[in-house]
Amino acid sequence: MKSFYIINILVLCLILFGCQHNSEIDQQLDKAESLMLSAPDSSLLIIDHIPTENLSDTEQKARYALLKSMALDKNYIDTTTFDVLQPAIDYYLDHGTPDERLRTLYYQGRIFLNKSDFDMAMQCFLKATDLKNECRDTLTFANMLVAQSILNFFSYQMEDYVSNNLIAADLYDKLSHDEYRQSSLIKALDGSIASGNKQLSDSIMTIVDSLSVILPESREESELVHQTYSIAFEPNNVIAEMLDTISDYTIKSDAAKLNIAAAYLKLNQYKKAYDVLKLIDSGSEIAKSIRYLQLKPEILRADSRYNEALDAYKAYFNAVDNENSKIFYQKTTVADERHKLEIENLNQIQDRDKIIWLSVCSILLLLLVIGVISYLYRLGKMKRILAEKEQSRLKLENVSLQNQNSILALEKQTAELEAEKRHLAGENMKLRISQLETENEQLKVLSEKDELPDDVKEVIKERIGILNALFAANILDKEPAATAYVDLVKREISDKEKFMNSNRLAFKVSHPMFIKYLEEHGLTEYEINYLCLYAIGLKGKEVGNYMELRRHYNISSDIRRKLGIDEHETNIGIYVRKLLKRL
């Protein structure tokens, strides 16, 4: 029995000492993990300086593999092999926490994505999606949804593409990652436009435009999706004006070229649409997208290239059929694996229950055997005692027979012995029983000068009683300070072209050097009219709303170029008002 206890103690000590981690490496891994988001380059440096031969066990090797895969990804180092991540796959998918399994599946899917093995990548992401109610790593889950949406886009699952990016954008918003949120919103906006959902597109566009103000680096991507929106939902004259602003198609990205080709197709300018489509790199990701494959045969057919259109239609339908087959295969495979896991879990539970019941039965049987043995031992002991006592009694009787000379004494002795026997029997029984507002005055003076042209005088007279701030207030739908002028102001500003021309003529009289400066820099009357709206106090978005043009950013860009204004550092409204004061 003692040797049994000694063996158990030795085994326990070996297990405890064998499971101990190298604490110094654990500290380095903790430091690398804490620097992963703020300084990923430093995190990778720390990990690379850990000798892999010093990793103590499979759990520590798995953590090292997962953190190194994360650091490589954060440093934009893509890999197409599982050399680094494999220990994490082997350990965490069976023994890891929900967050560890989520991260492992995400980076496994990313590697399959880098290898263009989209089927396996989607399977990994679908398995990771199953952990949404268990995991706490919101950032990795949001990143996984964005990666999954890439596969949704190329397989033209637009509903899932939009949904995954909207969910990711909401998660990024909660984490205050505005850049990631803007990127996901733009993807969702692009998908809702492709699906023809104008109401959803308008709601997303509002958020994208507001974030573009604080994220200037996203403006190029934002302008591209604005083009896509205009092509899908705006009238042909707006699309034509947009195309007029593009001078060189060759410098545009493949995505922008695809937009331009779609715009020309909508305007029935088939030759131009075909010429732009040819500029797209046939080996690019855009050329592999369903949108390109869908648009190409329409352009070829419209340009009377029927044979080419037929081949393009075949390619499109083959791609759609192929993607549908992949989607079915992916979902079926994941469902089969889920079923297998459920069966395995059920079998494990049954096996565990069997072991428990077998252990209980064994314990009960052991207790029964011990009880029987104990009972038999006690019974044998009692029999021995009784036998010994019986032997004593017989000896006494022999003594009494031998002493026949004193019958009374022997009878008395026999009676005493009998009494003693009864007392002894009673004691034995007891023993057995006892065992758990200043432009107005200047205009009045100027209106009295004869050398002014009649049309200018007429403009000045119309503006004498109304201050520029009143126009701005009505344009902004604010309540005017003098209600007697409301109808007059509304009539004035309702004819936008007339109002903007009269506004420019008024500034030409009140601030001639300002207008001269703009003319000397080659600005057209239309562009000067545009700047004069800023001069009366409007902001960029308000100017766009009044002119009813989404492309006012393009006008602003041309004006900046002519005036030599920096694209990002100077606000055009502030620049115009400063120019007014200076001139």
Side-chain angles (χ1 to χ4, degrees):
M1 184 67 74
K2 289 182 178 179
S3 61
F4 174 76
Y5 288 129
I6 292 171
I7 292 171
N8 284 339
I9 291 170
L10 289 173
V11 171
L12 182 61
C13 290
L14 288 172
I15 293 172
L16 290 174
F17 284 109
C19 291
Q20 285 183 343
H21 285 196
N22 187 320
S23 59
E24 184 179 349
I25 290 180
D26 279 336
Q27 291 173 4
Q28 291 175 292
L29 291 174
D30 289 341
K31 187 175 181 181
E33 187 171 9
S34 68
L35 294 171
M36 192 66 69
L37 295 177
S38 59
D41 52 342
S42 300
S43 179
L44 181 59
L45 189 63
I46 292 171
I47 294 171
D48 281 342
H49 278 76
I50 297 175
T52 55
E53 63 271 14
N54 292 346
L55 297 171
S56 60
D57 58 16
T58 54
E59 185 178 1
Q60 197 172 67
K61 290 174 183 178
R63 188 182 182 204
Y64 172 88
L66 181 57
L67 288 177
K68 184 165 184 178
S69 298
M70 293 172 66
L72 290 169
D73 180 67
K74 300 298 181 185
N75 284 278
Y76 304 102
I77 302 173
D78 291 335
T79 179
T80 56
T81 68
F82 293 97
D83 296 346
V84 174
L85 187 62
Q86 194 61 50
I89 296 172
D90 294 338
Y91 183 79
Y92 285 137
L93 293 188
D94 292 327
H95 309 291
T97 65
D99 284 341
E100 289 166 342
R101 297 204 306 274
L102 170 67
R103 291 176 180 177
T104 303
L105 286 167
Y106 168 62
Y107 288 105
Q108 186 182 17
R110 287 290 302 274
I111 294 172
F112 280 124
L113 203 57
N114 294 336
K115 295 173 66 175
S116 297
D117 191 343
F118 298 152
D119 292 342
M120 292 302 298
M122 181 58 84
Q123 288 185 43
C124 291
F125 296 147
L126 289 173
K127 291 176 187 176
T129 305
D130 290 341
L131 299 169
K132 63 183 177 182
N133 296 323
E134 303 174 61
C135 65
R136 295 292 177 268
D137 188 350
T138 306
L139 181 59
T140 300
F141 191 79
N143 290 340
M144 184 277 298
L145 290 173
V146 173
Q148 187 177 354
S149 75
I150 295 172
L151 299 174
N152 296 142
F153 176 81
F154 285 111
S155 60
Y156 212 60
Q157 299 176 74
M158 282 304 157
E159 185 176 344
D160 291 340
Y161 178 68
V162 173
S163 174
N164 282 336
N165 277 293
L166 286 178
I167 296 171
D170 185 51
L171 296 175
Y172 289 137
D173 185 28
K174 292 177 181 176
L175 296 171
S176 299
H177 285 313
D178 289 338
E179 293 180 11
Y180 292 171
R181 181 189 180 201
Q182 177 76 321
S183 179
S184 292
L185 285 170
I186 290 175
K187 289 184 179 72
L189 176 56
D190 192 44
S192 64
I193 294 169
S195 301
N197 192 335
K198 187 176 186 299
Q199 183 177 1
L200 178 59
S201 300
D202 288 339
S203 64
I204 301 174
M205 183 76 80
T206 302
I207 307 173
V208 169
D209 287 345
S210 64
L211 286 173
S212 294
V213 175
I214 61 174
L215 298 170
E217 62 274 12
S218 71
R219 286 178 184 168
E220 183 177 350
E221 196 175 3
S222 176
E223 286 177 5
L224 180 60
V225 80
H226 268 277
Q227 285 182 351
T228 309
Y229 178 93
S230 296
I231 294 165
F233 303 124
E234 298 286 6
N236 289 354
N237 62 315
V238 175
I239 299 174
E241 288 176 1
M242 179 193 75
L243 292 173
D244 289 343
T245 64
I246 303 171
S247 57
D248 187 358
Y249 306 135
T250 60
I251 63 174
K252 297 291 183 180
S253 66
D254 284 342
K257 291 172 186 172
L258 191 60
N259 271 347
I260 295 167
Y264 277 125
L265 178 64
K266 190 172 181 181
L267 295 178
N268 299 327
Q269 298 182 31
Y270 310 129
K271 183 66 172 68
K272 287 185 177 180
Y274 176 70
D275 291 341
V276 175
L277 190 71
K278 288 193 302 182
L279 297 175
I280 297 175
D281 181 7
S282 59
S284 68
E285 292 297 329
I286 292 295
K288 299 174 185 176
S289 69
I290 296 293
R291 187 183 177 205
Y292 174 88
L293 295 173
Q294 185 181 31
L295 191 63
K296 183 177 179 180
E298 294 179 19
I299 293 174
L300 291 169
R301 181 183 58 78
D303 198 38
S304 301
R305 300 173 180 272
Y306 301 115
N307 291 333
E308 295 176 51
L310 180 59
D311 292 339
Y313 273 122
K314 289 179 182 178
Y316 167 66
F317 289 121
N318 286 337
V320 171
D321 288 343
N322 188 39
E323 291 302 330
N324 288 335
S325 298
K326 288 180 180 178
I327 293 165
F328 177 77
Y329 171 76
Q330 290 160 1
K331 292 184 177 179
T332 303
T333 302
V334 171
D336 288 343
E337 291 190 3
R338 285 179 185 165
H339 181 66
K340 286 180 182 178
L341 287 172
E342 289 172 358
I343 295 297
E344 288 177 3
N345 289 334
L346 184 60
N347 289 335
Q348 288 176 358
I349 292 170
Q350 290 175 342
D351 291 343
R352 183 190 64 193
D353 290 345
K354 286 179 182 177
I355 292 171
I356 291 172
W357 279 109
L358 184 60
S359 300
V360 169
C361 291
S362 299
I363 292 170
L364 291 173
L365 181 61
L366 180 61
L367 290 173
L368 180 62
V369 169
I370 292 171
V372 169
I373 292 172
S374 177
Y375 171 75
L376 293 173
Y377 172 76
R378 290 173 182 271
L379 185 61
K381 186 176 180 180
M382 293 298 294
K383 284 182 178 180
R384 282 195 304 271
I385 293 172
L386 288 173
E388 288 173 358
K389 289 181 179 178
E390 184 64 23
Q391 212 170 24
S392 296
R393 186 184 64 80
L394 290 171
K395 285 181 181 179
L396 287 171
E397 285 181 356
N398 287 330
V399 169
S400 76
L401 289 172
Q402 290 174 1
N403 296 308
Q404 290 181 2
N405 292 326
S406 179
I407 296 171
L408 293 173
L410 288 174
E411 287 177 357
K412 184 179 179 181
Q413 187 178 4
T414 302
E416 287 174 356
L417 287 173
E418 286 296 329
E420 189 180 351
K421 272 172 62 177
R422 288 193 296 270
H423 176 73
L424 203 54
E427 289 296 323
N428 286 333
M429 186 63 66
K430 285 178 184 179
L431 187 64
R432 287 170 66 183
I433 291 171
S434 63
Q435 295 181 354
L436 236 188
E437 151 188 321
T438 316
E439 184 185 350
N440 199 36
E441 291 300 323
Q442 293 175 343
L443 291 173
K444 287 179 180 179
V445 174
L446 288 168
S447 66
E448 295 171 1
K449 293 183 179 181
D450 296 332
E451 64 271 17
L452 294 174
D454 291 340
D455 58 342
V456 174
K457 285 183 178 181
E458 186 62 31
V459 168
I460 293 172
K461 286 178 182 179
E462 289 178 2
R463 293 171 64 90
I464 285 175
I466 302 173
L467 297 174
N468 284 335
L470 187 59
F471 290 127
N474 274 272
I475 293 170
L476 298 173
D477 291 330
K478 297 178 181 176
E479 187 64 27
T483 58
Y485 297 122
V486 171
D487 293 338
L488 175 60
V489 171
K490 287 184 176 178
R491 287 197 303 272
E492 286 292 327
I493 67 175
S494 63
D495 187 335
K496 296 181 178 62
E497 184 176 359
K498 177 183 176 183
F499 170 69
M500 291 171 68
N501 285 329
S502 67
N503 191 39
R504 172 176 50 78
L505 292 173
F507 274 106
K508 188 170 185 178
V509 174
S510 62
H511 298 81
M513 297 306 295
F514 170 68
I515 300 300
K516 182 178 179 182
Y517 180 86
L518 298 178
E519 291 173 344
E520 286 175 348
H521 282 77
L523 270 68
T524 64
E525 282 189 358
Y526 184 79
E527 292 171 336
I528 295 173
N529 285 350
Y530 176 81
L531 289 184
C532 286
L533 290 175
Y534 283 99
I536 65 173
L538 298 185
K539 296 178 182 177
K541 187 173 182 180
E542 297 158 358
V543 171
N545 289 337
Y546 176 61
M547 295 175 73
E548 296 181 343
L549 286 176
R550 290 188 177 276
R551 68 181 192 89
H552 74 94
Y553 294 114
N554 296 328
I555 299 171
S556 175
S557 178
D558 292 339
I559 292 172
R560 286 175 179 273
R561 179 175 50 76
K562 292 179 181 181
L563 295 177
I565 305 173
D566 184 81
E567 182 68 27
H568 302 294
E569 296 179 0
T570 307
N571 180 284
I572 197 163
I574 296 173
Y575 176 84
V576 168
R577 289 188 281 277
K578 284 182 178 180
L579 191 62
L580 272 172
K581 289 180 181 179
R582 194 180 69 193
L583 301 177

